């Protein structure tokens, strides 16, 4: 898969995951009434993160929001926090990923900057996906625990009869939406991190050095120094200093900056 295609697929999966996380957080069917023991009932109850609803057999639905924060279970508040953090990180990562797309050019932004932005957005999407999966899993674990505790309390030893006095709740549709959304966000973040390697420019282990023809080498002698071209047979453009005597040719020689490469 090419770098551009990998980046676009990761970007689209992350968008779908973000949309799924928002939908799952707003849904009311995080937990639904278990109808295994009583399939025919006049009311049907289901609960979400923000309110609980009752649907009557006539089709009328009444929802009541949770009017308290401190009175809610700690696990429910933790699930709320995880989902909100996941959505916020996904939104930030989406904004960063838009500017990091290879098909978009902004000013003099080079590929190395786009690679860093792609990696940053990918990490944000990965964390957001993990937050969404963790939040949904915590809520599912709470449902399983309450379900079996309610089941154990329903069965009494009085004559071997079963009393259905408590309402049991099972998994709602929002849990499955949240799991799928978290997985899509996580996969999108991984693809963006993989695409970052293709966007980064390749670094070589050596540095290019330009070599030029040898210049004037300087040899020091007790009586002075001699500046020559480095070829013993060539006596052109030489300068000999010996005490007060000096001989110069028409072209004066000066060391160049390439002599010291």
């Amino acid at each position: 898969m090419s770098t551009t295609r990998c980046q676009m697929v990761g970007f689209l999966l992350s968008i779908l995951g973000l949309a799924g996380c928002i939908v799952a957080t707003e849904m009311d069917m995080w937990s639904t009434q278990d109808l295994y023991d009583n399939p025919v009932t006049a009311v049907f109850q289901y609960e979400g993160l923000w309110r609980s609803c009752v649907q009557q057999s006539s089709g009328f639905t009444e929802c009541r929001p949770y009017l308290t924060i401190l009175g809610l279970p700690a696990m429910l508040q933790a699930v709320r926090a995880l989902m909100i953090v996941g959505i916020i990180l996904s939104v930030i990562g989406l904004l960063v990923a838009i500017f990091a797309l290879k098909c978009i050019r902004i000013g003099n932004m080079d590929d190395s900057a786009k690679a860093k932005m792609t990696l940053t957005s990918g990490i944000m999407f990965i964390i957001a996906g993990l937050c969404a999966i963790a939040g949904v899993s915590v809520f599912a674990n709470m449902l399983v625990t309450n379900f079996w505790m309610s089941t154990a309390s329903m069965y009494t030893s009085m004559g071997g009869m079963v009393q259905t006095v408590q309402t049991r709740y099972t998994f709602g549709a929002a849990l499955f939406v949240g799991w799928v959304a978290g997985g899509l966000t996580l996969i999108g973040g991984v693809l963006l991190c993989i695409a970052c390697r293709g966007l980064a420019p390749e670094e070589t282990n050596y540095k290019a050095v330009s070599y030029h023809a040898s210049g004037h080498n300087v040899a020091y002698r007790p009586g002075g120094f001699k500046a020559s071209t480095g070829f013993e047979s060539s006596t052109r453009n030489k300068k000999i200093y010996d005490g007060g005597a000096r001989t110069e040719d028409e072209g004066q020689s000066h060391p160049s900056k390439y002599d010291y490469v």
Side-chain angles (χ1 to χ4, degrees):
M1 184 181 295
S2 63
T3 301
T4 305
R5 185 176 301 177
C6 182
Q7 187 184 31
M8 289 301 301
V9 172
F11 180 74
L12 294 177
L13 289 179
S14 301
I15 292 179
L16 293 177
L18 172 60
C21 290
I22 295 175
V23 171
T25 305
E26 292 293 331
M27 290 179 66
D28 295 327
M29 288 191 176
W30 280 69
S31 60
T32 58
Q33 182 180 355
D34 183 35
L35 302 178
Y36 178 76
D37 294 328
N38 189 15
V40 180
T41 180
V43 294
F44 177 71
Q45 301 179 13
Y46 53 92
E47 297 179 351
L49 297 180
W50 313 101
R51 58 183 181 176
S52 60
C53 300
V54 177
Q55 183 179 1
Q56 301 180 3
S57 58
S58 60
F60 178 75
T61 303
E62 181 182 0
C63 295
R64 178 177 297 179
Y66 301 136
L67 301 178
T68 180
I69 297 179
L70 299 179
L72 296 175
M75 300 298 290
L76 180 60
Q77 297 183 12
V79 172
R80 281 181 173 182
L82 286 172
M83 297 303 294
I84 293 175
V85 170
I87 292 174
I88 293 176
L89 287 177
S90 296
V91 172
I92 298 176
L94 180 62
L95 295 176
V96 176
I98 291 175
F99 295 103
L101 291 177
K102 194 174 182 179
C103 58
I104 297 178
R105 285 291 179 181
I106 300 176
N108 296 326
M109 184 180 298
D110 54 355
D111 291 338
S112 61
K114 284 183 175 291
K116 294 178 181 179
M117 295 176 66
T118 303
L119 178 62
T120 302
S121 62
I123 294 175
M124 287 185 176
F125 281 126
I126 291 175
I127 298 176
L130 292 177
C131 288
I133 294 175
V136 176
S137 300
V138 168
F139 194 91
N141 180 69
M142 183 174 59
L143 282 180
V144 172
T145 303
N146 294 336
F147 182 87
W148 291 113
M149 289 179 64
S150 301
T151 303
S153 62
M154 286 169 56
Y155 290 88
T156 61
S157 59
M158 297 176 60
M161 299 180 61
V162 178
Q163 299 177 353
T164 56
V165 295
Q166 292 185 358
T167 302
R168 297 184 303 180
Y169 291 92
T170 184
F171 293 170
L175 295 180
F176 301 100
V177 174
W179 273 319
V180 173
L184 291 177
T185 307
L186 181 62
I187 295 174
V190 172
L191 290 178
L192 288 175
C193 292
I194 295 175
C196 167
R197 301 180 59 183
L199 292 175
E202 297 182 359
E203 296 182 358
T204 57
N205 296 327
Y206 61 90
K207 296 183 179 180
V209 179
S210 59
Y211 293 93
H212 297 267
S214 177
H216 306 321
N217 297 328
V218 180
Y220 293 92
R221 294 182 179 180
F225 68 90
K226 176 181 178 182
S228 63
T229 59
F231 298 93
E232 297 297 334
S233 60
S234 177
T235 58
R236 185 170 177 263
N237 296 331
K238 65 181 180 178
K239 189 188 302 184
I240 301 176
Y241 296 87
D242 189 4
R246 183 179 64 178
T247 303
E248 295 184 358
D249 290 344
E250 294 180 357
Q252 295 183 356
S253 61
H254 299 278
S256 65
K257 62 180 181 180
Y258 301 105
D259 296 337
Y260 306 100
V261 175

